[in-house]
Structures are given as structure tokens and as C-alpha cells.
Amino acid sequence: MWSFLCLVFVIFRVGSADLDSPCVHQLTTPLGLSEGPHWDSRKNVLFFVSIEKGEVYAYHYNSKILNKIRLDGTASPVVPSRKDPNLLIVGVNRSVVAVEWDGKNNLGGQQVLTTLSQQFPESRLNDGKADKQGRLWWGTMASEGQGLFYTITKKNLNNPKIAVQSVTTSNGLAWNKANNKLYYIDTPTLKVVSFDYDDKNGTISSTNKTVFDLSSTNNVTGYPDGMTIDTEDNLYIALYGGGSVIKVNPATGKLLKVIAIPARDISSVTWGGPNLDILFVTTSDISLSPSEKIQYPAAGSVFAVTGLNARGFEAYTADIL
């Protein structure tokens, strides 16, 4: 059974679409730095990782069973394969690894497909997703300016293409409904930017536009981390250090809602559930002091937010093999 709290949150624009009553349900115990949630509608399973533990989790929505495997290194992100539902594509340290696992039984075989950022050996993979065609858009994090954002395809596996360079913490991304814009976060900038996106060629524009600047609002704190989008093209941004997920209209730059989460460090978000109307939220406890862990006993857990009167798109799967 889910344990849950019905939390009060701030509504900045009152209208018929905002008269909802969200509840925040705690799905798991604290797991460290939980991240990278991906809903696989073929199985009704939420995959996610605990980065520093090197663990990949499968939360089975129907049975509420949580299974895990452990890999040799940091683990993030995780994207299921399009052709084989029992194959996951996982970031392990700086490598893109195919991992055989059905989300239930023991870990199967593993194959390193490519290793990124050879010039920055201290970096690691951080966040990423697949696009509509199954290409991977994955980024690394490192010292200032040493992170990279890649496009990974079947054809360029031996030498993945750098889409954005000189970033620090490559993080949240999302495509709009028309699939002609890619929203992207480099966390320390405090900004969400948009690139013009060409789905046919798998390319983005050389310049970007800031659609939301966290430093320009006094209503929230923290750093933008993972991100998703709803069917009305509103962004949902996890705030690491901010204790909340914010809803933003990227067309206007307006902050629409603040959804309080019972943890300080909110790492990522994704839509899921049978109707894609549940917002799954990952959090972290690794930066908390002992006294802060007492203050935030559920930090590091995965949560589900219901009653938002919104829904998302089905997550794309990987097609790089």
C-alpha cells in the first residue's frame, strides 16, 4: 500500500484547470540519490536509479513490488530498449551499457556500447532520454565547462556526436508536443533553455533561448534538475535544494505552480501510470546532515503525485542497437 500525505501547495494562477487537490504518495524507503525515472507502459513499471550506489530499480505499479540490480559504477540514466523490453540501456560511469534485466529476476548479460568524454575522465553520465526516433540524448557532469551533451545513434556509436559542449551539469530535458523544440537544463546556470529541434535529422539549433530563469523569481529556491512536460506543453522542473517541483509555461516564462515534496533535494520527475497522469518524483538524501535527515525522514524516496489535473506523453524507448 502507498503511504501518502495530501500536501498544500502554492497556486500562482487561479483558474478552472488549477482547482485540483494533489496528493503526494511515498512509494519507497530512502534510497540515496534516486534519479532518472522512466515509465515503461509496456510493463506498467517505473524504472529509476540510485546513482552513487550503482543500482537500477523497477517499481511494479500493479503489485507495488520494488526490485533492483547493482552495476559496477555509478548508474544513470536508464532507458528501456525499443526492440527488447527485457533490455535496458544504462549509463555506467561514462559508458553506455546494454543490460539484460526484466525488472524481476537476476541480472543478465552486459555489453558496453560506447564510452563518452574520453578527454574528461573525471566526468560521469548524469541525465538523458531517448527521442521519438530512439536516439539517445545523454549528458555528462564534471568540473565547470567539462560536461558534454551528446546525441547517440546506431550509426555514431563508435563516436557519438556532441550536441552541446562546455556545460557543467547536463540535466533535465523534454520535447514539446509539436516535437520541434528541445528544452534543456545545465543546472548551475539556473536556466531552462530551448533549442529548435529537427526530428528527421536528429539535430538542434546552434543557439538557444532562455524560457525560464530561476534567478529571476523570488517565489522558489534551489537548482533546476530533472524535467518533464505535460500535454499542454507546460514544464515540470525538479528543484534540487528547493523542496519542490515547479510547473512553468515556457511560452511565457511564467511560474504556474509549486508542488511541495517532503524532501529538500528533488532530483527528477516523469509522468506515468496507466493514464500517464501520475507525476513520479525522485529525491536525494546524500547531501543532508544527520540533523537534516531527521528533518526530512523521507528524503531519498520516490514519490507519486496524483490529482494534478494534467497528464504527460509516453516516454520514448531506445533504438540504438
Side-chain angles (χ1 to χ4, degrees):
M1 296 294 292
W2 286 356
S3 60
F4 65 93
L5 298 170
C6 289
L7 300 178
V8 176
F9 65 97
V10 180
I11 298 177
F12 288 92
R13 176 176 58 84
V14 176
S16 59
D18 286 319
L19 298 179
D20 41 35
S21 300
C23 286
V24 179
H25 311 255
Q26 184 179 347
L27 303 186
T28 72
T29 58
L31 301 170
L33 177 47
S34 64
E35 249 279 19
H38 181 109
W39 175 259
D40 190 339
S41 61
R42 297 170 298 184
K43 296 183 173 185
N44 274 357
V45 167
L46 178 73
F47 289 102
F48 63 95
V49 300
S50 181
I51 295 180
E52 295 194 342
K53 293 181 179 180
E55 293 174 340
V56 181
Y57 290 83
Y59 175 79
H60 296 262
Y61 178 82
N62 294 328
S63 66
K64 308 298 185 286
I65 292 173
L66 182 68
N67 296 322
K68 71 176 181 179
I69 53 174
R70 178 168 291 180
L71 305 176
D72 187 17
T74 59
S76 187
V78 55
V79 178
S81 167
R82 180 165 300 181
K83 293 182 178 179
D84 184 351
N86 295 325
L87 186 70
L88 302 176
I89 309 300
V90 185
V92 181
N93 299 323
R94 288 184 292 112
S95 295
V96 181
V97 182
V99 177
E100 292 180 333
W101 188 46
D102 62 3
K104 295 180 180 179
N105 299 313
N106 294 332
L107 173 64
Q110 301 177 54
Q111 179 185 355
V112 175
L113 304 179
T114 190
T115 299
L116 307 175
S117 296
Q118 303 281 2
Q119 67 273 49
F120 301 125
E122 299 303 314
S123 65
R124 68 161 174 82
L125 277 159
N126 188 53
D127 204 350
K129 296 179 181 178
D131 68 14
K132 187 176 183 179
Q133 305 305 325
R135 297 173 289 244
L136 298 181
W137 293 77
W138 284 16
T140 63
M141 63 177 289
S143 301
E144 184 175 354
Q146 294 184 359
L148 298 166
F149 184 44
Y150 287 89
T151 311
I152 306 168
T153 69
K154 292 179 181 179
K155 294 182 178 180
N156 73 14
L157 263 179
N158 291 328
N159 187 26
K161 179 182 176 182
I162 297 173
V164 182
Q165 56 187 341
S166 299
V167 302
T168 300
T169 306
S170 187
N171 236 320
L173 62 156
W175 288 267
N176 67 339
K177 187 174 184 178
N179 203 32
N180 59 12
K181 290 187 183 299
L182 172 64
Y183 298 105
Y184 175 73
I185 292 170
D186 177 12
T187 293
T189 67
L190 300 180
K191 296 177 180 179
V192 180
V193 300
S194 69
F195 293 91
D196 293 334
Y197 179 72
D198 184 334
D199 182 63
K200 180 179 179 181
N201 296 311
T203 57
I204 58 175
S205 56
S206 59
T207 59
N208 62 64
K209 175 185 177 182
T210 297
V211 298
F212 183 73
D213 188 344
L214 198 68
S215 65
S216 298
T217 178
N218 296 322
N219 300 109
V220 291
T221 60
Y223 294 85
D225 203 316
M227 177 170 60
T228 191
I229 196 167
D230 68 17
T231 56
E232 300 300 319
D233 276 347
N234 295 305
L235 298 172
Y236 294 71
I237 305 161
L239 295 185
Y240 200 92
S244 63
V245 175
I246 57 174
K247 179 180 179 180
V248 170
N249 182 341
T252 63
K254 187 175 181 179
L255 176 62
L256 302 178
K257 293 182 183 179
V258 177
I259 306 166
I261 305 296
R264 188 190 71 183
D265 299 332
I266 317 304
S267 55
S268 195
V269 288
T270 197
W271 292 101
N275 298 314
L276 298 176
D277 58 354
I278 300 172
L279 189 69
F280 291 104
V281 181
T282 56
T283 68
S284 173
D285 66 0
I286 64 168
S287 299
L288 300 182
S289 67
S291 61
E292 288 170 333
K293 287 185 178 181
I294 294 174
Q295 183 181 358
Y296 299 103
S301 304
V302 177
F303 299 89
V305 184
T306 59
L308 285 171
N309 195 30
R311 63 190 302 270
F313 301 103
E314 186 170 335
Y316 299 126
T317 49
D319 186 16
I320 62 169
L321 294 174

